[in-house]
Amino acid sequence: MESFVLIKQVPDQSSKAGINSDGTIDRAKAKRMLNPFDRYALEAALQTKRQHGARVTAITMGPPPAMEILYEAIAHGADRGILMTDRRLAASDTLATAYTLAQTVRYAGSPDLIFCGLQTTDGDTAQVGPQLAERLGIPQVTYCEAFEIRDGILLARRAIEGGSQTVTVSLPALVTVANSAQRLAYQTLRGARRVQHLMRDEAARAEVIQIINLDDVGADPERCGLKGSPTIVAATEKVGEIGGNCQVFQGQSVPSLVKSLREAASISSYIGAG
Amino acid sequence: MVQKRVLIFAEQVNGELQPIGLELLGSGRLLADKLGATLSALVLGSNIAHLSSTLIGHGADEVFLADHPELAQYRTLPYRRVITDLIKSWPQPPHIILLGSTTTGRDLAPRLAAYLETGLTADCTELDIGPFEYSNSKDPSKSGLFPNCLYAIRPSFGESLKARILGPWKNPQMATVRPGVMVPLAWNGSRRGEVFQVPVQLDPSDLSLQIVETVRNLSQAIDLTRAEVIVSGGYGLGSPEGFELMEQLAACFPNSAVGSSRKAVDSGWIPYAHQVGQTGKTVRPQIYIACGISGAIQHRVGMDKSQTIIAINKDSSAPIFKFAHYGIVGDLYQVVPEMIRQLQQGQPQPQASPSERIPVLQGQ
Ligand SMILES: Cc1cc2nc3c(=O)[nH]c(=O)nc-3n(C[C@H](O)[C@H](O)[C@H](O)COP(=O)(O)OP(=O)(O)OC[C@H]3O[C@@H](n4cnc5c(N)ncnc54)[C@H](O)[C@@H]3O)c2cc1C
């Protein structure tokens, strides 16, 4: 069985480094990390390895430093990595990204399952997974919280408004993993040693991690990057700080708070007139 | 002249329209009027004919109904097929297509956009129409003046910025819209509109996914986006048991629900369905009580439209006090029980029955 997991390196928004004064990100300076949602996707892929002996391939698209997250995936137990990197990918929107990833997935093999994080913390769209599934012509299960594979059928539970839904679907399929799924376990000792080895030995690395570009996967550059992106960010505006006039009750002043709430006409109907 | 359309996708669950559909109509009406376009609503489901008058009364000029047993519950591929077949049957694609950023809209919209090879802006909080002049030496084919563009405005970079996303080079221009943000038009029973039946032709491959079970704990009751009072717990609760206290406080109000911050969800204390914020739900209840929540920007954007915000936090410098209306500085484990006592004191409280509130689900 073949499981692919698509991961992305994103700026760490909790670190001040690389955040410009206007709130935009200086990607060269920003601290980088594995997209938090992708940690759940990676764990899901590793689950198929533990339970069904799947071979796990981690795929990322991004500038060369994105290699770091492939190492991270391997340290956790992924078998191999693929880095799609090309200058012509700059300014890709989700449509262009999904096109490039579809070409990359086809190049890398025919997976039974493709796992994606629910969304990224930089783009925040949750669109690339479903767009990739459409391009590959396979069904998708989004917002997946838990799953099992039985006789080649995926049985999955997904979150929906106010509840959940259990579905079955035949493979191949694409799954986007919600953050209520299983957390990523610790790196394995074996995985960490393997990464140390790969970092030292270039020949060994080339066998495990492939670095590829648009030409390798036969992608049409016109459909990638800026050219292939039907949307652009035309303007940004800083969201102003809102200065509240909070009425603060210090310490043990609950009775006075509740009294004030009862007196406020707009609230009193919800808590009774007192 | 060929008809210019603004098309909105109206979700239904068990034959009941979801609020997002009417919100999209409210926003779509403004866009259609600016464009001189027809506002069209599209509903898929089974036995849904009764929905068309609601959609027309709330602003639609025309309603497209795809009524078929296989469409009773939302599934990606059958819905994708029916909608793209319908669009292909028109002489030109709609100028704009809007869907909600619900679990359904966010599942469906990207597939439609990829099929239609067009742009899609996620999770918008404002929409408008305007001109756009563009030139880019790296891609001259995109240069020009575009008069009637969809301005799709969404928060970005951890909500510190508002970004205006444009994609006038391809039609339709598509966006998903956050639930709870756009305001529906008031019902007007004298509005007239046309109703069309949409032919449904499914391919066996569209039916590869089967729904085994759908559980809506809140179906007869309310969900977070409809609750009038929300009691939210954050990382300051310190443990999953804290949500029992949140439940008790919520029980002091009718039509109440329990929400949470992402950090509490990520800690596994409460399911994702309860999360309020940028990557959770947008809510605007009458009263929002935030307990042990710092008020990070990503949480704030999900709840700052609440009518009255009450914050309970032991740190007087927590950002939440910058935008709450009432605040108590103190340990929530002392404040909340006292608050419950005070609220229950003196008068017969209309206790909400448990089924009216969102139960806190435990475990996976
Ligand atoms: C891309 C992105 C998306 C995000 N999306 C969301 C989202 O949708 N929703 C969301 O909520 N967050 C979201 N976040 C996370 C957000 O940035 C914050 O980390 C999160 O909201 C913090 O949660 P919190 O307030 O519960 O925890 P904390 O920030 O840790 O705050 C806990 C608060 O509890 C107080 N406290 C502690 N003990 C007590 C006590 N006994 N009594 C009273 N007060 C006490 C503390 O003083 C503190 O203010 C997102 C982050 C990113 C980067």
Side-chain angles (χ1 to χ4, degrees), chain A residues 13-14 37 120-122 124, chain B residues 158 233-238 260-264 275-281 291-299 312-315 318-319 330-333:
Chain A
Q13 292 181 8
S14 66
F37 290 92
T120 59
T121 55
D122 56 349
D124 243 349
Chain B
Y235 196 63
L237 289 178
S260 81
S261 72
R262 168 148 158 209
K263 233 160 128 178
Q275 183 178 317
V276 171
Q278 181 192 349
T279 46
K281 298 213 163 63
C291 307
I293 292 179
S294 59
I297 180 87
Q298 296 89 351
H299 188 78
I312 300 163
N313 197 306
K314 65 181 181 190
D315 174 8
D331 185 330
L332 71 94
Y333 283 103

Side-chain angles (χ1 to χ4, degrees), chain A residues 74-77 186-196:
Chain A
I74 289 170
H76 279 281
Y186 291 104
Q187 300 189 353
T188 63
L189 189 61
R190 212 168 140 244
R193 287 221 178 103
R194 190 160 170 236
V195 167
Q196 278 176 0

Side-chain angles (χ1 to χ4, degrees), chain B residues 19-201:
Chain B
I20 180 68
L22 303 186
E23 292 162 20
L24 292 175
L25 277 178
S27 169
R29 189 68 261 168
L30 291 173
L31 304 182
D33 290 346
K34 283 196 178 176
L35 286 167
T38 305
L39 179 60
S40 317
L42 170 61
V43 200
L44 283 70
S46 180
N47 299 321
I48 48 169
H50 60 285
L51 301 179
S52 49
S53 58
T54 311
L55 292 165
I56 291 168
H58 281 283
D61 299 316
E62 55 181 19
V63 175
F64 292 89
L65 291 176
D67 205 323
H68 192 281
E70 290 285 6
L71 303 176
Q73 290 201 65
Y74 170 73
R75 281 184 293 168
T76 317
L77 297 181
Y79 272 53
R80 200 288 257 137
R81 170 84 57 194
V82 171
I83 296 171
T84 52
D85 280 355
L86 173 69
I87 291 173
K88 278 191 292 187
S89 75
W90 290 340
Q92 68 174 27
H95 194 72
I96 292 171
I97 304 181
L98 305 178
L99 298 92
S101 17
T102 58
T103 56
T104 293
R106 288 178 127 208
D107 186 88
L108 177 61
R111 284 205 79 127
L112 292 176
Y115 179 90
L116 300 165
E117 295 283 348
T118 195
L120 171 63
T121 306
D123 231 2
C124 297
T125 50
E126 294 169 46
L127 298 172
D128 203 353
I129 296 289
F132 179 51
E133 192 168 4
Y134 187 70
S135 74
N136 187 323
S137 56
K138 286 194 198 133
D139 189 3
S141 68
K142 281 188 179 153
S143 300
L145 173 67
F146 303 88
N148 285 320
C149 308
L150 175 65
Y151 288 179
I153 295 157
R154 67 179 304 239
S156 72
F157 294 120
E159 313 268 342
S160 55
L161 293 180
K162 276 202 285 189
R164 183 193 287 172
I165 317 270
L166 280 140
W169 302 280
K170 295 222 169 119
N171 272 352
Q173 298 167 61
M174 291 182 64
T176 61
V177 177
R178 268 192 202 175
V181 177
M182 304 295 176
V183 184
L185 296 180
W187 159 264
N188 175 351
S190 64
R191 284 192 54 91
R192 291 287 162 261
E194 272 187 283
V195 180
F196 300 92
Q197 297 299 326
V198 178
V200 175
Q201 223 157 30

Side-chain angles (χ1 to χ4, degrees), chain B residues 222 247 250-257 349-357:
Chain B
I222 35 166
E247 282 272 316
C252 298
F253 306 94
N255 287 353
S256 60
Q349 266 304 310
Q351 288 266 336
S353 70
S355 69
E356 277 175 38
R357 292 180 299 102

